[in-house]
Amino acid sequence: MCFKSSRGNHLLLGLCAFLHFHKSVSAESTCKLKAKFNLNGYKDVEKKKVVVGGMFPVHQRVTSTDGNTSSVPVSSGCEGFNFRTFRWTQTMLFAIEEINLRTDLLPKTDLGYVIYDSCFTISKAVEGTLTYLTGQDEAVPNYRCGDGAPLAALVGAGGSDLSIATARILGLYHFPQVSYFSSCSALESKFQFPTFLRTIPNDVHQSTAIAKLVLHFGWTWVGTIAADDDYGKYGIKEFKEQVEEAGVCISFSETLPKVSSPEDIQRIVDTVVESTAKIIVVFSSDVDLSPLIVELLRHNVTNRTWIASEAWVTSALINQPGVSSVLGGTLGFGVKRANIPGLQSYLLSLDPYADSLTEEFWETAANSTLSRAARAVPDGLCTGKESLQRLNSTYSDVSQLRITYNVYKAVYAVAHALHNLEHCVPGQGPFNRNSCAEITSFEPWQLMYYLKNVRFNVPHTEEEIFFNDGDVDGYYDIINWQVKGDGELSYVIVGSYNGTAQPEARMTIQNESIVWNNEDVEHPRSVCSENCQPGTRKGIRQGEPVCCFDCIPCADGEISNTTNARECIQCSEDYWSNAVRDTCVPKTIEFLAFGEPLGITLIVISAFGALVTIAVGVVFIVNLGTPLVKANDALLSFSLLFSLVVTFLCSIVFLGEPQPWSCMTSQVALALGFALCLSSIMGANPGGNPEKDKLTFAHQRAIAAVAVACTVWLIILPPHPVKNTAAQNVKIILECDEGSVVFICCIFAYDILLALLAFIFAFIARKLEDHLRYEAKCVTFGMLVFFIVWISFVPAYLSTRGKFMVAVQIFAILASSFGLLACIFLPKCYVLLVKPERNTEEMMRPRSKPRDGTSTGTSASLATAATEVNATIASTAIDD
């Protein structure tokens, strides 16, 4: 019989009859079969109550066609027998046989099966799906032909792109599909794939796990390779989104061709070789990746660490002899592993003559042609009695049952759903009016209800299985490919990832258990640019990923105290960066201290000058009644000596750490000292001169003016200590802020005026022909020294920094003071101490005029000259 789907379109009446008897239908018929599919597989539906479908990529590809359209198209055959996927197929048969023997699971129901080879190709997967739904070798969309056992579910169809194609078709009829290998995250959409379930974790978990692994080891420069299908594209996309958000950069992204292309494979090899990335993440099936591994081996591309997805992490197709140089140290994520008792013996008990698929397996495994001869077997043929265990193929290797275990769980999930459906209590069912479905005539959507809600423990492992929106928990083993003593690779579990745990506890990994490529102890580093150490900042390279950068040293006064700092931090005002610019250190406090050698030297010189000046004063006191002392006005002489003592001693106040009192004292003492000194020089007048009282009064007014100016200065804007951080970057110079530049300029300008007047008076008085001309010359010379010192002081002061500015100022004070002391008082002391015989009234008496009638200047003196100049200036002012 032929039954139309409840959702299908109406076909022509009599279609079923045509399908059963199409060979005898007349040429005038309007209904004909468009194609017949070429499918391989297993089928056992006779006397079975329920049929379970299966689809496995037993072959790796379809055979190529010549593309000729001038002849009738023929469904392509398959090639590239895959031992691993053939084991998956046999595992489904083993599970069904095991279930049929159980008395606690479907005790009254025998399961049949229809299993097709998808050849790892979408077109073959679609052919198998249509044929399975139709119920006979000819595929008729929307129709189920025959009156056999109902179809339960499809276990398959291998890769994610195959399942996407089949799930779209099965979803139209609400037909359940349970996949063991399709992990693509796109399949989680219940809008597009309403009846899709799987026993393999969603790739969202795997992408997250790989991202966490990359971040765990601090890899920031990673290459990616993905298969050109939904599995590769979605897996890499999820991974890249997560790592790029965390600051990881992708060095390159390559796509493996579905149909092997030597040019594309060579391009990918060149990319891997040229890239500086040492970590390469690969989302691909083993079939798609295999050509690339062969080419990498040929080019001997080593010193790379490969991160494997679950599709190839334990694949024998990849783990071929000799790959350890390329793939040694590989890290990958494998789904749960289990031991299935009885499976190996079942695998080894195959009858090579049972069907064409098994016969092909046997011939491929034995690398010979299977002979059906009863006796002698010619060379190059096998008997079918060879030991599969001795062949040591992937098919019989049950040490890494991971995807195989998923197949086992998928079959049991369908069986438990059927068991729950069969044992539904009438009146307590989940359907309309609490009805139940019949095991012999249920609809696919009714079984789908039970599959979505199934919960059971897997035999032998006791793992609890249930579906959460069609997905299972994301649990993975972290597998390390380690080279054994014989040079072959072994799979060693070095950690795990549990997607249901708390985020911080999801991944556990034993770093010390990992053997890296080239057997390095330390994990490899993969960075585009080395980390910028403290003291530098990252400078992004234009047009390159953010992981590629230059390390730019921080500027003076700036630091970075973290690795890969984006910006340098400015040190505060009293701090400066150290030599490596990773710490702000206090700036060096600088001032001219009393205890340092230069300070001690200046103190000694200042004290010496003051003592010498005092000694001169003592000499004058001792010789107070002598003509020489009387002639030089003892009061002004002692006033001059006192001012010199003040200038000598005030230089000491400039030393030491500036204090408020020292700042005020130093400048005021200097200003008053030089004002007193210079006014005393101006007011020097021989005894008995009638202008003496006027000059003395002028002298007093000069001192009073300076004193008043200094008092106003100290009250309004007194000098005070400051920290000069601008003069030198690494130092804080403690100095005195003069308070008011105007006041200090006025005061010292007045001192300069006094100095100029004293120089002018002395210069005029040098032509006097009595003994006073010698004194005028001494004063003139002393004032010249004074000016030379202070004129030299200006550039020297401006060209120095820090405490040496103070030293230069003190030196100028001492030099000018010593110059005045030596030039003015040294000749007098010479007469008083060495030539006392010249200290007589006669020597001090005016001399007669010379014979040429010129003035002898008997009444002239320095004071007189000063008086005349003052009178001249005064009369000029009155005339104006």
Side-chain angles (χ1 to χ4, degrees):
M1 296 178 66
C2 221
F3 303 94
K4 181 178 180 296
S5 168
S6 59
R7 296 183 60 190
N9 297 322
H10 289 286
L11 296 180
L12 295 176
L13 295 176
L15 178 60
C16 295
F18 171 77
L19 290 173
H20 285 292
F21 307 105
H22 61 85
K23 292 183 180 179
S24 60
V25 175
S26 64
E28 288 79 10
S29 174
T30 58
C31 186
K32 62 181 180 179
L33 188 66
K34 299 298 294 182
K36 185 174 181 180
F37 300 142
N38 180 16
L39 296 170
N40 289 322
Y42 296 93
K43 187 174 183 180
D44 182 10
V45 297
E46 294 298 328
K47 299 180 181 180
K48 302 298 181 181
K49 188 177 289 187
V50 179
V51 175
V52 180
M55 197 172 295
F56 297 89
V58 178
H59 289 85
Q60 298 177 9
R61 56 192 170 272
V62 295
T63 55
S64 59
T65 60
D66 57 7
N68 185 9
T69 59
S70 61
S71 59
V72 178
V74 179
S75 179
S76 300
C78 300
E79 62 183 6
F81 200 92
N82 192 324
F83 292 153
R84 184 188 184 205
T85 54
F86 186 66
R87 184 181 68 227
W88 300 348
T89 308
Q90 295 301 316
T91 301
M92 179 173 177
L93 297 177
F94 168 77
I96 291 175
E97 182 178 302
E98 188 178 70
I99 291 168
N100 287 338
L101 294 175
R102 291 182 58 166
T103 59
D104 59 335
L105 183 62
L106 294 173
K108 299 178 182 180
T109 299
D110 275 349
L111 297 179
Y113 52 83
V114 175
I115 300 175
Y116 292 118
D117 178 12
S118 68
C119 300
F120 205 67
T121 308
I122 293 177
S123 60
K124 283 294 180 183
V126 172
E127 289 178 11
T129 303
L130 294 175
T131 303
Y132 174 65
L133 289 173
T134 300
Q136 60 183 36
D137 293 341
E138 295 85 0
V140 182
N142 291 335
Y143 279 83
R144 167 71 176 167
C145 297
D147 56 357
L151 303 179
L154 177 68
V155 175
S160 294
D161 51 344
L162 307 184
S163 287
I164 288 174
T166 58
R168 292 191 187 279
I169 297 173
L170 296 173
L172 294 174
Y173 310 108
H174 293 288
F175 198 95
Q177 176 181 356
V178 183
S179 177
Y180 50 85
F181 195 52
S182 304
S183 55
C184 178
S185 60
L187 286 162
E188 69 184 357
S189 172
K190 294 305 150 189
F191 177 77
Q192 298 185 65
F193 313 102
T195 60
F196 179 82
L197 305 99
R198 51 188 164 191
T199 56
I200 188 171
N202 190 329
D203 271 344
V204 169
H205 297 296
Q206 182 172 205
S207 298
T208 302
I210 296 177
K212 281 187 174 292
L213 182 72
V214 168
L215 298 176
H216 172 77
F217 288 109
W219 297 322
T220 59
W221 190 232
V222 178
T224 63
I225 299 176
D228 191 15
D229 54 26
D230 293 308
Y231 170 73
K233 293 176 181 177
Y234 278 89
I236 283 296
K237 176 177 175 290
E238 293 280 348
F239 165 77
K240 289 168 68 173
E241 286 177 355
Q242 295 193 45
V243 295
E244 287 177 343
E245 186 178 346
V248 176
C249 295
I250 304 302
S251 172
F252 62 87
S253 293
E254 290 291 343
T255 302
L256 291 168
K258 293 299 289 183
V259 178
S260 182
S261 167
E263 295 79 12
D264 291 339
I265 295 297
Q266 185 59 51
R267 188 197 72 250
I268 296 173
V269 171
D270 293 340
T271 301
V272 171
V273 171
E274 294 170 3
S275 174
T276 57
K278 302 301 181 184
I279 307 301
I280 303 173
V281 178
V282 181
F283 257 92
S284 170
S285 66
D286 52 356
V287 175
D288 292 333
L289 180 62
S290 181
L292 175 62
I293 299 302
V294 172
E295 197 66 17
L296 290 170
L297 275 171
R298 194 172 72 83
H299 286 79
N300 193 28
V301 179
T302 59
N303 196 28
R304 302 291 191 279
T305 296
W306 300 82
I307 309 299
S309 64
E310 102 292 331
W312 67 275
V313 70
T314 56
S315 171
L317 184 63
I318 301 298
N319 187 5
Q320 296 288 330
V323 300
S324 58
S325 61
V326 174
L327 297 179
T330 293
L331 281 176
F333 291 83
V335 295
K336 279 186 178 180
R337 172 182 171 274
N339 293 318
I340 304 176
L343 177 61
Q344 187 174 35
S345 60
Y346 180 86
L347 296 175
L348 298 175
S349 63
L350 277 183
D351 178 6
Y353 303 106
D355 54 81
S356 60
L357 201 59
T358 307
E359 184 175 337
E360 182 184 358
F361 158 72
W362 201 280
E363 291 177 348
T364 307
N367 195 23
S368 62
T369 303
L370 191 62
S371 172
R372 295 181 181 271
R375 296 183 180 179
V377 178
D379 293 339
L381 301 180
C382 51
T383 64
K385 297 180 181 180
E386 290 79 10
S387 173
L388 291 177
Q389 193 165 14
R390 291 183 179 179
L391 292 177
N392 193 27
S393 68
T394 306
Y395 168 75
S396 58
D397 182 9
V398 295
S399 62
Q400 294 290 330
L401 299 182
R402 298 180 184 276
I403 305 301
T404 303
Y405 180 48
N406 285 346
V407 174
Y408 189 72
K409 290 187 288 186
V411 176
Y412 265 90
V414 175
H416 277 277
L418 287 169
H419 182 86
N420 294 338
L421 182 148
E422 184 179 27
H423 290 81
C424 174
V425 178
Q428 300 179 13
F431 306 120
N432 188 28
R433 298 179 181 177
N434 297 326
S435 61
C436 294
E438 292 295 331
I439 190 67
T440 57
S441 61
F442 63 87
E443 293 293 332
W445 59 268
Q446 292 176 315
L447 179 62
M448 185 63 198
Y449 169 82
Y450 287 100
L451 264 174
K452 288 173 60 177
N453 296 283
V454 74
R455 184 182 289 265
F456 66 98
N457 292 326
V458 182
H460 315 300
T461 65
E462 296 303 319
E463 178 188 356
E464 186 179 30
I465 297 297
F466 61 91
F467 296 107
N468 183 9
D469 285 336
D471 286 333
V472 293
D473 292 341
Y475 181 90
Y476 301 90
D477 289 329
I478 301 177
I479 300 171
N480 181 215
W481 289 26
Q482 300 184 6
V483 182
K484 298 186 293 186
D486 58 1
E488 298 303 315
L489 289 169
S490 63
Y491 307 122
V492 179
I493 297 176
V494 295
S496 63
Y497 178 85
N498 185 357
T500 61
Q502 293 297 320
E504 64 277 2
R506 287 179 180 174
M507 189 173 73
T508 59
I509 186 167
Q510 294 83 43
N511 294 349
E512 65 280 357
S513 301
I514 300 174
V515 176
W516 301 100
N517 55 333
N518 299 328
E519 298 186 356
D520 290 336
V521 177
E522 293 293 329
H523 68 80
R525 301 187 72 253
S526 184
V527 295
C528 180
S529 300
E530 293 296 333
N531 289 334
C532 289
Q533 299 302 315
T536 61
R537 65 174 178 84
K538 291 166 62 174
I540 303 301
R541 299 174 186 169
Q542 293 296 327
E544 296 189 32
V546 294
C547 297
C548 302
F549 48 82
D550 296 316
C551 295
I552 303 173
C554 292
D556 289 339
E558 296 181 346
I559 66 160
S560 64
N561 52 14
T562 59
T563 303
N564 291 332
R566 294 187 177 275
E567 298 293 339
C568 295
I569 305 170
Q570 181 73 44
C571 293
S572 59
E573 185 178 19
D574 292 347
Y575 289 82
W576 194 250
S577 55
N578 60 357
V580 295
R581 295 180 174 86
D582 62 354
T583 305
C584 287
V585 295
K587 290 183 178 180
T588 303
I589 304 297
E590 182 176 275
F591 58 89
L592 190 55
F594 293 104
E596 61 180 291
L598 180 59
I600 294 173
T601 302
L602 294 175
I603 291 173
V604 170
I605 296 173
S606 300
F608 175 74
L611 291 175
V612 170
T613 305
I614 293 172
V616 171
V618 171
V619 171
F620 266 62
I621 291 173
V622 171
N623 297 278
L624 191 60
T626 62
L628 179 61
V629 176
K630 290 180 180 180
N632 283 277
D633 195 330
L635 180 61
L636 288 177
S637 296
F638 285 123
S639 174
L640 178 58
L641 289 171
F642 174 75
S643 65
L644 289 175
V645 171
V646 171
T647 57
F648 276 121
L649 294 180
C650 78
S651 63
I652 298 177
V653 184
F654 284 87
L655 298 172
E657 181 177 352
Q659 302 292 335
W661 67 268
S662 62
C663 289
M664 291 188 291
T665 303
S666 58
Q667 296 298 343
V668 171
L670 180 62
L672 288 174
F674 275 122
L676 179 61
C677 174
L678 295 171
S679 60
S680 297
I681 293 172
M682 269 184 52
N685 183 33
N689 193 299
E691 301 294 334
K692 177 180 178 181
D693 292 337
K694 294 181 180 180
L695 289 175
T696 301
F697 182 67
H699 176 211
Q700 292 172 350
R701 282 185 296 175
I703 298 302
V706 173
V708 170
C710 289
T711 302
V712 173
W713 177 21
L714 293 179
I715 292 174
I716 298 177
L717 293 169
H720 57 277
V722 294
K723 294 179 179 180
N724 185 348
T725 59
Q728 295 188 30
N729 292 331
V730 298
K731 295 179 180 179
I732 297 176
I733 301 173
L734 299 183
E735 59 186 17
C736 291
D737 186 338
E738 310 306 341
S740 172
V741 177
V742 175
F743 270 113
I744 193 170
C745 288
C746 291
I747 291 172
F748 283 101
Y750 183 73
D751 285 345
I752 293 171
L753 176 63
L754 292 178
L756 286 172
L757 291 176
F759 174 75
I760 292 170
F761 296 160
F763 186 77
I764 294 174
R766 81 188 192 287
K767 294 183 179 181
L768 296 176
E769 293 187 3
D770 57 8
H771 73 285
L772 294 177
R773 66 179 177 174
Y774 299 109
E775 181 179 350
K777 290 180 180 180
C778 290
V779 172
T780 301
F781 189 70
M783 295 309 300
L784 283 175
V785 172
F786 182 86
F787 281 120
I788 290 170
V789 168
W790 286 103
I791 291 173
S792 301
F793 160 77
V794 173
Y797 185 81
L798 295 177
S799 63
T800 55
R801 291 290 181 271
K803 62 183 179 181
F804 296 104
M805 296 179 70
V806 178
V808 169
Q809 189 173 6
I810 294 175
F811 175 79
I813 295 170
L814 295 177
S816 57
S817 299
F818 273 114
L820 292 174
L821 178 64
C823 292
I824 296 175
F825 289 100
L826 183 60
K828 296 181 177 65
C829 290
Y830 176 78
V831 173
L832 293 175
L833 298 176
V834 180
K835 298 290 185 178
E837 65 275 9
R838 297 178 59 181
N839 188 8
T840 61
E841 291 288 345
E842 184 178 351
M843 293 297 296
M844 303 299 123
R845 192 177 300 145
R847 299 177 184 179
S848 59
K849 292 182 180 180
R851 285 176 296 181
D852 58 3
T854 59
S855 173
T856 60
T858 55
S859 61
S861 67
L862 180 60
T864 305
T867 303
E868 291 174 355
V869 172
N870 285 335
T872 302
I873 294 173
S875 62
T876 302
I878 292 171
D879 293 339
D880 291 341

